[in-house]
Amino acid sequence: MTDFAARRLTMVDTQVRPSDVTKFPIIDAMLTVARENFVPDSQREVAYVGDLVELGGGRCLLEPRTLAKMLDTVNISNDEVVLDIAPALGYSTAIAARMAELVVAVESDEALATEAQTVLMEADVDNAIVHTGPLEQGADEHGPYDVIMIQGGVEQLPDALLDQLKDGGRIVCLFMEGDLGTVRVGLKTAGRVSWRYAFNASAPVLPAFCAECAFSL
């Protein structure tokens, strides 16, 4: 029988800590949340590889390093509300929920959203909800948000999401330009978002955030 707890420890010790992520809430969450339960059964054995895990339907699990560093840059507090876009079966939502007051996950596929809610309930994550709707529209009715995360590559970011960020809130996105990607963190001040470079990473562009899709809105 596979010892997934040992694999979680190895993931943290070889992928997360060496990436200069040392904040206790992030380390604790990644050691606690069973990543293997947030992938299809056929993918459980590769849940802890140091690469992104393709989940089908345009969704993936970001590399553990990438997710950990994204969380490190936005520094979620336990009194904050987080919007998590495209979390697939909810791994990133479960991780963020261990740090936040509430996490709102948005999935556009109704079947995937329903399954994510079930998996989160089975994992005893009681401070997260899954909202079904277009990714690019977020979940305005539950906002505004202190933190927004997007679990995939982005070429263009719609104003509808930025409008849901509180003043003083942070948004972290993996912007893709061809095969090259950079994670940037935005801080909203006086209604405007200013961006800074965080680190390099890569992920498939989510269809809802491709340049052509944004241009057609």
PDB file of all heavy atoms in Angstrom, residues 91-116:
ATOM      1  N   TYR A  91      -7.983  20.967  -4.615  1.00  0.00           N
ATOM      2  CA  TYR A  91      -6.780  20.870  -3.773  1.00  0.00           C
ATOM      3  C   TYR A  91      -6.318  22.243  -3.295  1.00  0.00           C
ATOM      4  O   TYR A  91      -6.087  22.447  -2.094  1.00  0.00           O
ATOM      5  CB  TYR A  91      -5.657  20.178  -4.540  1.00  0.00           C
ATOM      6  CG  TYR A  91      -4.351  20.133  -3.772  1.00  0.00           C
ATOM      7  CD1 TYR A  91      -4.206  19.329  -2.645  1.00  0.00           C
ATOM      8  CD2 TYR A  91      -3.257  20.907  -4.175  1.00  0.00           C
ATOM      9  CE1 TYR A  91      -3.015  19.295  -1.933  1.00  0.00           C
ATOM     10  CE2 TYR A  91      -2.067  20.874  -3.470  1.00  0.00           C
ATOM     11  CZ  TYR A  91      -1.944  20.070  -2.355  1.00  0.00           C
ATOM     12  OH  TYR A  91      -0.765  20.044  -1.643  1.00  0.00           O
ATOM     13  N   SER A  92      -6.198  23.193  -4.195  1.00  0.00           N
ATOM     14  CA  SER A  92      -5.745  24.530  -3.810  1.00  0.00           C
ATOM     15  C   SER A  92      -6.734  25.182  -2.850  1.00  0.00           C
ATOM     16  O   SER A  92      -6.341  25.926  -1.935  1.00  0.00           O
ATOM     17  CB  SER A  92      -5.548  25.411  -5.048  1.00  0.00           C
ATOM     18  OG  SER A  92      -6.737  25.449  -5.839  1.00  0.00           O
ATOM     19  N   THR A  93      -8.012  24.894  -3.039  1.00  0.00           N
ATOM     20  CA  THR A  93      -9.043  25.414  -2.141  1.00  0.00           C
ATOM     21  C   THR A  93      -8.856  24.862  -0.732  1.00  0.00           C
ATOM     22  O   THR A  93      -8.932  25.598   0.262  1.00  0.00           O
ATOM     23  CB  THR A  93     -10.439  25.046  -2.667  1.00  0.00           C
ATOM     24  OG1 THR A  93     -10.610  25.607  -3.973  1.00  0.00           O
ATOM     25  CG2 THR A  93     -11.536  25.570  -1.748  1.00  0.00           C
ATOM     26  N   ALA A  94      -8.612  23.563  -0.636  1.00  0.00           N
ATOM     27  CA  ALA A  94      -8.407  22.930   0.669  1.00  0.00           C
ATOM     28  C   ALA A  94      -7.158  23.476   1.358  1.00  0.00           C
ATOM     29  O   ALA A  94      -7.155  23.685   2.579  1.00  0.00           O
ATOM     30  CB  ALA A  94      -8.301  21.416   0.509  1.00  0.00           C
ATOM     31  N   ILE A  95      -6.104  23.708   0.590  1.00  0.00           N
ATOM     32  CA  ILE A  95      -4.871  24.270   1.155  1.00  0.00           C
ATOM     33  C   ILE A  95      -5.139  25.677   1.682  1.00  0.00           C
ATOM     34  O   ILE A  95      -4.808  26.011   2.827  1.00  0.00           O
ATOM     35  CB  ILE A  95      -3.758  24.290   0.097  1.00  0.00           C
ATOM     36  CG1 ILE A  95      -3.328  22.870  -0.283  1.00  0.00           C
ATOM     37  CG2 ILE A  95      -2.567  25.112   0.584  1.00  0.00           C
ATOM     38  CD1 ILE A  95      -2.518  22.152   0.760  1.00  0.00           C
ATOM     39  N   ALA A  96      -5.747  26.520   0.851  1.00  0.00           N
ATOM     40  CA  ALA A  96      -6.014  27.901   1.252  1.00  0.00           C
ATOM     41  C   ALA A  96      -6.978  27.967   2.433  1.00  0.00           C
ATOM     42  O   ALA A  96      -6.879  28.856   3.279  1.00  0.00           O
ATOM     43  CB  ALA A  96      -6.572  28.691   0.065  1.00  0.00           C
ATOM     44  N   ALA A  97      -7.909  27.013   2.502  1.00  0.00           N
ATOM     45  CA  ALA A  97      -8.912  27.012   3.575  1.00  0.00           C
ATOM     46  C   ALA A  97      -8.283  26.806   4.948  1.00  0.00           C
ATOM     47  O   ALA A  97      -8.862  27.204   5.961  1.00  0.00           O
ATOM     48  CB  ALA A  97      -9.960  25.939   3.315  1.00  0.00           C
ATOM     49  N   ARG A  98      -7.108  26.203   5.000  1.00  0.00           N
ATOM     50  CA  ARG A  98      -6.430  26.021   6.278  1.00  0.00           C
ATOM     51  C   ARG A  98      -5.791  27.317   6.769  1.00  0.00           C
ATOM     52  O   ARG A  98      -5.338  27.391   7.914  1.00  0.00           O
ATOM     53  CB  ARG A  98      -5.374  24.912   6.183  1.00  0.00           C
ATOM     54  CG  ARG A  98      -6.005  23.524   5.983  1.00  0.00           C
ATOM     55  CD  ARG A  98      -4.958  22.438   6.096  1.00  0.00           C
ATOM     56  NE  ARG A  98      -4.370  22.369   7.435  1.00  0.00           N
ATOM     57  CZ  ARG A  98      -4.882  21.690   8.457  1.00  0.00           C
ATOM     58  NH1 ARG A  98      -6.025  21.010   8.309  1.00  0.00           N
ATOM     59  NH2 ARG A  98      -4.263  21.662   9.625  1.00  0.00           N
ATOM     60  N   MET A  99      -5.764  28.327   5.896  1.00  0.00           N
ATOM     61  CA  MET A  99      -5.157  29.609   6.260  1.00  0.00           C
ATOM     62  C   MET A  99      -6.174  30.739   6.333  1.00  0.00           C
ATOM     63  O   MET A  99      -5.959  31.717   7.046  1.00  0.00           O
ATOM     64  CB  MET A  99      -4.087  29.978   5.235  1.00  0.00           C
ATOM     65  CG  MET A  99      -2.906  29.034   5.211  1.00  0.00           C
ATOM     66  SD  MET A  99      -1.793  29.416   3.852  1.00  0.00           S
ATOM     67  CE  MET A  99      -2.115  28.028   2.789  1.00  0.00           C
ATOM     68  N   ALA A 100      -7.285  30.627   5.613  1.00  0.00           N
ATOM     69  CA  ALA A 100      -8.243  31.711   5.457  1.00  0.00           C
ATOM     70  C   ALA A 100      -9.479  31.510   6.332  1.00  0.00           C
ATOM     71  O   ALA A 100      -9.707  30.433   6.893  1.00  0.00           O
ATOM     72  CB  ALA A 100      -8.668  31.813   3.997  1.00  0.00           C
ATOM     73  N   GLU A 101     -10.283  32.554   6.407  1.00  0.00           N
ATOM     74  CA  GLU A 101     -11.588  32.425   7.073  1.00  0.00           C
ATOM     75  C   GLU A 101     -12.575  31.697   6.177  1.00  0.00           C
ATOM     76  O   GLU A 101     -13.342  30.851   6.622  1.00  0.00           O
ATOM     77  CB  GLU A 101     -12.132  33.810   7.432  1.00  0.00           C
ATOM     78  CG  GLU A 101     -13.484  33.764   8.123  1.00  0.00           C
ATOM     79  CD  GLU A 101     -13.986  35.133   8.540  1.00  0.00           C
ATOM     80  OE1 GLU A 101     -13.194  36.087   8.553  1.00  0.00           O
ATOM     81  OE2 GLU A 101     -15.185  35.251   8.850  1.00  0.00           O
ATOM     82  N   LEU A 102     -12.543  32.025   4.876  1.00  0.00           N
ATOM     83  CA  LEU A 102     -13.451  31.418   3.899  1.00  0.00           C
ATOM     84  C   LEU A 102     -12.781  31.404   2.537  1.00  0.00           C
ATOM     85  O   LEU A 102     -12.085  32.353   2.169  1.00  0.00           O
ATOM     86  CB  LEU A 102     -14.756  32.220   3.813  1.00  0.00           C
ATOM     87  CG  LEU A 102     -15.759  31.797   2.728  1.00  0.00           C
ATOM     88  CD1 LEU A 102     -16.353  30.422   3.040  1.00  0.00           C
ATOM     89  CD2 LEU A 102     -16.863  32.835   2.565  1.00  0.00           C
ATOM     90  N   VAL A 103     -12.999  30.318   1.794  1.00  0.00           N
ATOM     91  CA  VAL A 103     -12.529  30.233   0.414  1.00  0.00           C
ATOM     92  C   VAL A 103     -13.722  29.961  -0.486  1.00  0.00           C
ATOM     93  O   VAL A 103     -14.519  29.057  -0.217  1.00  0.00           O
ATOM     94  CB  VAL A 103     -11.474  29.125   0.220  1.00  0.00           C
ATOM     95  CG1 VAL A 103     -10.990  29.105  -1.233  1.00  0.00           C
ATOM     96  CG2 VAL A 103     -10.297  29.326   1.168  1.00  0.00           C
ATOM     97  N   VAL A 104     -13.858  30.756  -1.537  1.00  0.00           N
ATOM     98  CA  VAL A 104     -14.884  30.546  -2.556  1.00  0.00           C
ATOM     99  C   VAL A 104     -14.188  30.041  -3.806  1.00  0.00           C
ATOM    100  O   VAL A 104     -13.357  30.749  -4.395  1.00  0.00           O
ATOM    101  CB  VAL A 104     -15.653  31.845  -2.856  1.00  0.00           C
ATOM    102  CG1 VAL A 104     -16.695  31.595  -3.957  1.00  0.00           C
ATOM    103  CG2 VAL A 104     -16.317  32.381  -1.590  1.00  0.00           C
ATOM    104  N   ALA A 105     -14.489  28.822  -4.195  1.00  0.00           N
ATOM    105  CA  ALA A 105     -13.910  28.231  -5.402  1.00  0.00           C
ATOM    106  C   ALA A 105     -14.884  28.400  -6.555  1.00  0.00           C
ATOM    107  O   ALA A 105     -16.095  28.250  -6.375  1.00  0.00           O
ATOM    108  CB  ALA A 105     -13.615  26.756  -5.172  1.00  0.00           C
ATOM    109  N   VAL A 106     -14.361  28.704  -7.730  1.00  0.00           N
ATOM    110  CA  VAL A 106     -15.209  28.871  -8.914  1.00  0.00           C
ATOM    111  C   VAL A 106     -14.806  27.855  -9.968  1.00  0.00           C
ATOM    112  O   VAL A 106     -13.643  27.799 -10.392  1.00  0.00           O
ATOM    113  CB  VAL A 106     -15.090  30.299  -9.500  1.00  0.00           C
ATOM    114  CG1 VAL A 106     -15.920  30.418 -10.774  1.00  0.00           C
ATOM    115  CG2 VAL A 106     -15.549  31.331  -8.470  1.00  0.00           C
ATOM    116  N   GLU A 107     -15.779  27.041 -10.374  1.00  0.00           N
ATOM    117  CA  GLU A 107     -15.596  26.091 -11.473  1.00  0.00           C
ATOM    118  C   GLU A 107     -16.727  26.256 -12.466  1.00  0.00           C
ATOM    119  O   GLU A 107     -17.880  26.415 -12.073  1.00  0.00           O
ATOM    120  CB  GLU A 107     -15.546  24.653 -10.954  1.00  0.00           C
ATOM    121  CG  GLU A 107     -14.145  24.114 -10.726  1.00  0.00           C
ATOM    122  CD  GLU A 107     -13.282  24.154 -11.978  1.00  0.00           C
ATOM    123  OE1 GLU A 107     -13.829  24.259 -13.092  1.00  0.00           O
ATOM    124  OE2 GLU A 107     -12.058  24.090 -11.836  1.00  0.00           O
ATOM    125  N   SER A 108     -16.372  26.218 -13.745  1.00  0.00           N
ATOM    126  CA  SER A 108     -17.381  26.421 -14.787  1.00  0.00           C
ATOM    127  C   SER A 108     -18.083  25.126 -15.181  1.00  0.00           C
ATOM    128  O   SER A 108     -19.208  25.158 -15.692  1.00  0.00           O
ATOM    129  CB  SER A 108     -16.735  27.048 -16.031  1.00  0.00           C
ATOM    130  OG  SER A 108     -15.632  26.268 -16.465  1.00  0.00           O
ATOM    131  N   ASP A 109     -17.444  23.988 -14.927  1.00  0.00           N
ATOM    132  CA  ASP A 109     -18.031  22.693 -15.261  1.00  0.00           C
ATOM    133  C   ASP A 109     -18.870  22.214 -14.076  1.00  0.00           C
ATOM    134  O   ASP A 109     -18.348  21.989 -12.985  1.00  0.00           O
ATOM    135  CB  ASP A 109     -16.923  21.689 -15.584  1.00  0.00           C
ATOM    136  CG  ASP A 109     -17.474  20.337 -15.992  1.00  0.00           C
ATOM    137  OD1 ASP A 109     -17.811  19.541 -15.091  1.00  0.00           O
ATOM    138  OD2 ASP A 109     -17.566  20.082 -17.205  1.00  0.00           O
ATOM    139  N   GLU A 110     -20.157  22.052 -14.290  1.00  0.00           N
ATOM    140  CA  GLU A 110     -21.060  21.723 -13.188  1.00  0.00           C
ATOM    141  C   GLU A 110     -20.725  20.393 -12.533  1.00  0.00           C
ATOM    142  O   GLU A 110     -20.734  20.270 -11.304  1.00  0.00           O
ATOM    143  CB  GLU A 110     -22.513  21.719 -13.681  1.00  0.00           C
ATOM    144  CG  GLU A 110     -23.520  21.534 -12.562  1.00  0.00           C
ATOM    145  CD  GLU A 110     -24.959  21.727 -13.029  1.00  0.00           C
ATOM    146  OE1 GLU A 110     -25.167  22.071 -14.205  1.00  0.00           O
ATOM    147  OE2 GLU A 110     -25.868  21.536 -12.193  1.00  0.00           O
ATOM    148  N   ALA A 111     -20.398  19.381 -13.355  1.00  0.00           N
ATOM    149  CA  ALA A 111     -20.069  18.066 -12.796  1.00  0.00           C
ATOM    150  C   ALA A 111     -18.785  18.142 -11.970  1.00  0.00           C
ATOM    151  O   ALA A 111     -18.705  17.553 -10.877  1.00  0.00           O
ATOM    152  CB  ALA A 111     -19.921  17.038 -13.918  1.00  0.00           C
ATOM    153  N   LEU A 112     -17.797  18.881 -12.456  1.00  0.00           N
ATOM    154  CA  LEU A 112     -16.542  19.029 -11.733  1.00  0.00           C
ATOM    155  C   LEU A 112     -16.754  19.802 -10.436  1.00  0.00           C
ATOM    156  O   LEU A 112     -16.206  19.451  -9.382  1.00  0.00           O
ATOM    157  CB  LEU A 112     -15.518  19.748 -12.616  1.00  0.00           C
ATOM    158  CG  LEU A 112     -14.081  19.835 -12.098  1.00  0.00           C
ATOM    159  CD1 LEU A 112     -13.506  18.448 -11.844  1.00  0.00           C
ATOM    160  CD2 LEU A 112     -13.212  20.599 -13.089  1.00  0.00           C
ATOM    161  N   ALA A 113     -17.576  20.836 -10.489  1.00  0.00           N
ATOM    162  CA  ALA A 113     -17.875  21.625  -9.296  1.00  0.00           C
ATOM    163  C   ALA A 113     -18.568  20.770  -8.237  1.00  0.00           C
ATOM    164  O   ALA A 113     -18.252  20.857  -7.044  1.00  0.00           O
ATOM    165  CB  ALA A 113     -18.747  22.825  -9.666  1.00  0.00           C
ATOM    166  N   THR A 114     -19.517  19.943  -8.660  1.00  0.00           N
ATOM    167  CA  THR A 114     -20.228  19.072  -7.724  1.00  0.00           C
ATOM    168  C   THR A 114     -19.284  18.075  -7.077  1.00  0.00           C
ATOM    169  O   THR A 114     -19.329  17.834  -5.863  1.00  0.00           O
ATOM    170  CB  THR A 114     -21.360  18.324  -8.454  1.00  0.00           C
ATOM    171  OG1 THR A 114     -22.284  19.276  -8.985  1.00  0.00           O
ATOM    172  CG2 THR A 114     -22.088  17.382  -7.513  1.00  0.00           C
ATOM    173  N   GLU A 115     -18.389  17.508  -7.882  1.00  0.00           N
ATOM    174  CA  GLU A 115     -17.429  16.542  -7.341  1.00  0.00           C
ATOM    175  C   GLU A 115     -16.459  17.227  -6.388  1.00  0.00           C
ATOM    176  O   GLU A 115     -16.100  16.675  -5.346  1.00  0.00           O
ATOM    177  CB  GLU A 115     -16.665  15.863  -8.482  1.00  0.00           C
ATOM    178  CG  GLU A 115     -15.793  14.708  -8.001  1.00  0.00           C
ATOM    179  CD  GLU A 115     -15.168  13.919  -9.147  1.00  0.00           C
ATOM    180  OE1 GLU A 115     -15.432  14.240 -10.317  1.00  0.00           O
ATOM    181  OE2 GLU A 115     -14.407  12.979  -8.837  1.00  0.00           O
ATOM    182  N   ALA A 116     -16.037  18.454  -6.728  1.00  0.00           N
ATOM    183  CA  ALA A 116     -15.121  19.199  -5.857  1.00  0.00           C
ATOM    184  C   ALA A 116     -15.760  19.450  -4.491  1.00  0.00           C
ATOM    185  O   ALA A 116     -15.114  19.297  -3.450  1.00  0.00           O
ATOM    186  CB  ALA A 116     -14.726  20.517  -6.515  1.00  0.00           C
TER     187      ALA A 116
END
